Amino acid sequence: RPDLLDHVLVAAVHSPSDLLSLLSRAQYHLSHPSRSPHPLPIRVILLDSIASLFRADFDASPADLKRRSGLFFKISAKLKELAHRHQCVVVVTNQVVDVVEGTTGNTVAWSSGRQVSPALGLAWANCVNTRLFLTREVDSNGGSARRHMKVAFAPHLPVRTCEFVIRRDGVFGVEPAQR
């Protein structure tokens, strides 16, 4: 529908504490819909990207890693509570980092010919219920992009991959015969 984006609320956060404050406000609006300035219920919470909140402000010192992990658990618990209590969907994107030879990471995968791993490592991986890995490969002749979504982790789903395309009229799966 042309007015679909009229019902999308966007809020910028620049730190983990900003995010926790925003999630508290979302909790209030979800719990008291009649007092909310927004007439429609919240159905999807999209956080893009969780890694951007943590990559610059924390050192690799044991104290900072402990503080960062504590914030991961606090944020993920709040997101899970919102999803469960208010029947909304929560999608959180992470970034990937290149895997350097000799290093180990969790869920190493290939993307654009590079070996990559989730940016926030094992501490964030323990906060996630379902992990989907999206990749995009562009043909060498500059043609269309091939996109794949892989179920990398989900206790209730098998590991599977599907191909999809993004067009002006939406997101569509690609049938195996069309590949």
Side-chain angles (χ1 to χ4, degrees):
R1 295 190 339 235
D3 64 343
L4 183 63
L5 292 179
D6 290 344
H7 304 294
V8 174
L9 303 175
V10 177
V13 295
H14 303 286
S15 69
S17 60
D18 284 352
L19 177 58
L20 287 167
S21 175
L22 180 66
L23 293 176
S24 292
R25 288 195 310 269
Q27 173 75 43
Y28 177 82
H29 291 303
L30 285 163
S31 299
H32 305 94
S34 62
R35 296 184 202 159
S36 174
H38 314 292
L40 295 175
I42 296 171
R43 294 289 181 229
V44 176
I45 297 172
L46 173 63
L47 175 54
D48 183 21
S49 134
I50 188 72
S52 66
L53 300 177
F54 290 93
R55 295 190 85 183
D57 293 340
F58 293 86
D59 296 328
S61 70
D64 261 8
L65 291 174
K66 181 178 178 183
R67 187 168 66 95
R68 186 179 86 153
S69 294
L71 285 166
F72 288 168
F73 295 127
K74 196 173 192 178
I75 290 168
S76 68
K78 186 55 137 176
L79 290 168
K80 289 175 185 183
E81 175 191 356
L82 289 172
H84 179 73
R85 182 173 290 170
H86 301 288
Q87 299 299 298
C88 61
V89 174
V90 174
V91 177
V92 179
T93 67
N94 191 357
Q95 298 167 0
V96 294
V97 294
D98 287 332
V99 174
V100 180
E101 264 188 69
T103 63
T104 58
N106 66 321
T107 314
V108 174
W110 288 90
S111 177
S112 301
R114 303 177 349 248
Q115 216 177 2
V116 295
S117 182
L120 296 179
L122 192 57
W124 180 253
N126 287 319
C127 297
V128 174
N129 290 350
T130 301
R131 186 178 310 118
L132 304 175
F133 187 75
L134 304 177
T135 59
R136 183 181 73 150
E137 308 273 340
V138 179
D139 293 346
S140 58
N141 61 6
S144 63
R146 296 175 59 106
R147 299 171 191 267
H148 294 90
M149 179 174 66
K150 176 183 179 184
V151 177
F153 169 78
H156 60 293
L157 296 171
V159 174
R160 293 273 164 82
T161 301
C162 69
E163 187 173 345
F164 65 98
V165 294
I166 301 174
R167 300 190 313 233
R168 285 193 169 278
D169 52 338
V171 178
F172 301 92
V174 176
E175 295 295 327
Q178 297 174 332
R179 292 182 188 159

